[in-house]
Amino acid sequence: GQQVMQIPQYQHVQEGEDFTTYCNSSTTLSNIQWYKQRPGGHPVFLIQLVKSGEVKKQKRLTFQFGEAKKNSSLHITATQTTDVGTYFCAGLFGNEKLTFGTGTRLTIIP
Amino acid sequence: DVKVTQSSRYLVKRTGEKVFLECVQDMDHENMFWYRQDPGLGLRLIYFSYDVKMKEKGDIPEGYSVSREKKERFSLILESASTNQTSMYLCASTGHNGTGNYEQYFGPGTRLTVT
């Protein structure tokens, strides 16, 4: 079946360091979405990328969609304690069913 | 604001019991989804529905069934609960969010423990 692989599974960074999580699909995606889940909370939509090579920014967060539309990354610059949580990518393979990655759990060391 | 609500935040059931998890959304969304979330496995799709009385199997439908009698309500049913169904269950509905994005809105989740 269609799968979206996400790495790393866990990431521990010092406050102020950068953080990156990566998603890969073996087949071309229609679009990719990113969600954040705070501890004890539910996933909340962050952004959607649709175009090949697209780059979007939200303050300290930078999202990229690969040229082949098979991979994506989320980069956080200068992490803060409010960035703690699990970040999920979710790929759309042409229908309306999203396939979620396994998530990257980010913890911040003060 | 879109609201997706789930009937319980925490639920404890015994092995063999029939379990109903209810989900309601107030945005007139056509598409609704049930996921389970387990450590290291992310979100896995159990069932989804594109319309009333319509259902499609997701990636892990075994041991589950669903019901969509009304557009706003999507129920997940565990016919005979087993301990390996202990998990966090998340309901979601999808719609366009006004900025051209097609977004999933999640409910708060139900943490089910089967003993």
Side-chain angles (χ1 to χ4, degrees), chain A residues 9 33 35 37 40 42-43 45 48 88 96-98 100 102, chain B residues 31 33 35 37 40 42-43 45 48 101-104 106-107:
Chain A
Q9 188 173 352
Q33 301 179 7
Y35 291 77
Q37 183 177 23
H42 57 273
F45 176 85
Q48 175 176 286
F88 292 96
E96 295 195 10
K97 183 181 72 144
L98 283 174
F100 280 81
T102 49
Chain B
N31 303 336
F33 303 78
Y35 297 88
Q37 183 176 21
L43 280 78
L45 182 63
F48 59 104
N101 287 322
Y102 173 78
E103 174 180 341
Q104 284 212 342
F106 284 86

Side-chain angles (χ1 to χ4, degrees), chain B residues 19-115:
Chain B
V19 182
F20 292 87
L21 302 182
E22 303 285 343
C23 175
V24 177
Q25 50 93 5
D26 66 357
M27 279 299 291
D28 203 34
H29 287 165
E30 291 181 345
N31 303 336
M32 296 186 73
F33 303 78
W34 274 105
Y35 297 88
R36 61 177 285 177
Q37 183 176 21
D38 302 287
L41 297 176
L43 280 78
R44 293 181 292 166
L45 182 63
I46 306 171
Y47 266 97
F48 59 104
S49 170
Y50 286 151
D51 205 347
V52 175
K53 295 193 186 297
M54 179 274 175
K55 60 185 179 184
E56 292 272 351
K57 292 181 180 179
D59 299 320
I60 51 164
E62 296 77 19
Y64 303 93
S65 62
V66 289
S67 172
R68 184 109 182 258
E69 295 296 319
K70 293 185 178 181
K71 192 174 186 180
E72 67 271 17
R73 188 180 298 268
F74 192 33
S75 304
L76 180 69
I77 303 152
L78 287 65
E79 296 290 341
S80 178
S82 63
T83 54
N84 63 14
Q85 292 179 309
T86 291
S87 187
M88 169 68 84
Y89 289 88
L90 287 161
C91 174
S93 70
T94 59
H96 289 279
N97 62 9
T99 62
N101 287 322
Y102 173 78
E103 174 180 341
Q104 284 212 342
Y105 299 86
F106 284 86
T110 297
R111 184 164 293 283
L112 172 67
T113 302
V114 182
T115 61

